Amino acid sequence: MGTDGFAMGTDGFAMAVVGLMLAIFGIVLGFGIGSRLAEDVTDRKTYWKYNAVAYAAGILVSALVWATGWSVLAFGTVGCLGGVIAGLKMGYGEAVGPWVTHDRFLGLNTRKGRHPRPKRTASTGTGWARRRPDGEGESDEPELMSVSDPEKRR
C-alpha cells in the first residue's frame, strides 16, 4: 500500500495505543515505586526531597528518551513520574504543598477533631518485627490465628 493515507493512519493509531499502554504501565510502576519510597518518609522535608529526586530522575530519563528519538517511550516515562508523585502522596497520607488545596477543593480530610498522623520512627528488625504492635511478644512471625483462649469465644 505504501504512501496512501490509510496505512499511515493505521500506524499512527497503533503508535497512540502503544503509547497509551506504556503510560498506564508507567503509572502503575511509578505508583508502586512511590508507595515504597513513602514507607521511609518520616517528615515533610524527606517527602519533598523524594519528590525532587523523582522529578529530577523523570526529567533526565524523559530527556534521554527524546534525544534517542523514541518518542513513544516518553509516554511511559511521564506516566512513571506521575505515578511516583501520586504514590508518594498516597503513601505519606498527609496533605502537603499543592495537595492541601486539592484536598480542600474535593472536601477530603475535613473531619472535625482529626488528629495529625503520628510520625514514623525507625525501629529495629524487618518485616513483622518492624510492624509488630507495641504489646506483642518478641516473636519474629505474626500470629495469624489466635487460639490462646478459645473459651472466651463461646
Side-chain angles (χ1 to χ4, degrees):
M1 292 205 131
T3 60
D4 65 350
F6 182 74
M8 290 298 192
T10 304
D11 288 348
F13 179 74
M15 295 303 264
V17 169
V18 169
L20 182 63
M21 288 186 345
L22 285 173
I24 292 170
F25 175 72
I27 291 170
V28 171
L29 179 69
F31 190 83
I33 292 169
S35 296
R36 288 190 183 172
L37 287 175
E39 292 174 1
D40 298 334
V41 175
T42 57
D43 58 350
R44 289 181 180 214
K45 183 178 178 181
T46 309
Y47 172 80
W48 285 114
K49 183 175 82 173
Y50 282 176
N51 261 306
V53 169
Y55 273 106
I59 290 169
L60 178 68
V61 171
S62 291
L64 291 174
V65 166
W66 279 104
T68 61
W70 298 337
S71 58
V72 174
L73 291 179
F75 287 100
T77 60
V78 171
C80 190
L81 175 60
V84 168
I85 294 167
L88 272 169
K89 194 274 184 202
M90 297 292 188
Y92 184 56
E94 186 176 335
V96 292
W99 293 106
V100 173
T101 306
H102 173 265
D103 289 352
R104 193 177 307 131
F105 177 74
L106 293 177
L108 304 173
N109 299 329
T110 58
R111 293 183 300 176
K112 291 184 179 182
R114 183 172 188 269
H115 300 288
R117 190 175 138 227
K119 289 188 176 185
R120 296 181 186 178
T121 58
S123 62
T124 59
T126 59
W128 171 249
R130 186 174 181 186
R131 295 186 312 268
R132 173 180 63 237
D134 290 336
E136 286 289 322
E138 294 298 320
S139 170
D140 213 16
E141 294 291 323
E143 184 178 335
L144 300 176
M145 188 167 107
S146 177
V147 292
S148 60
D149 195 7
E151 296 298 320
K152 287 185 178 181
R153 293 187 210 172
R154 292 182 185 176

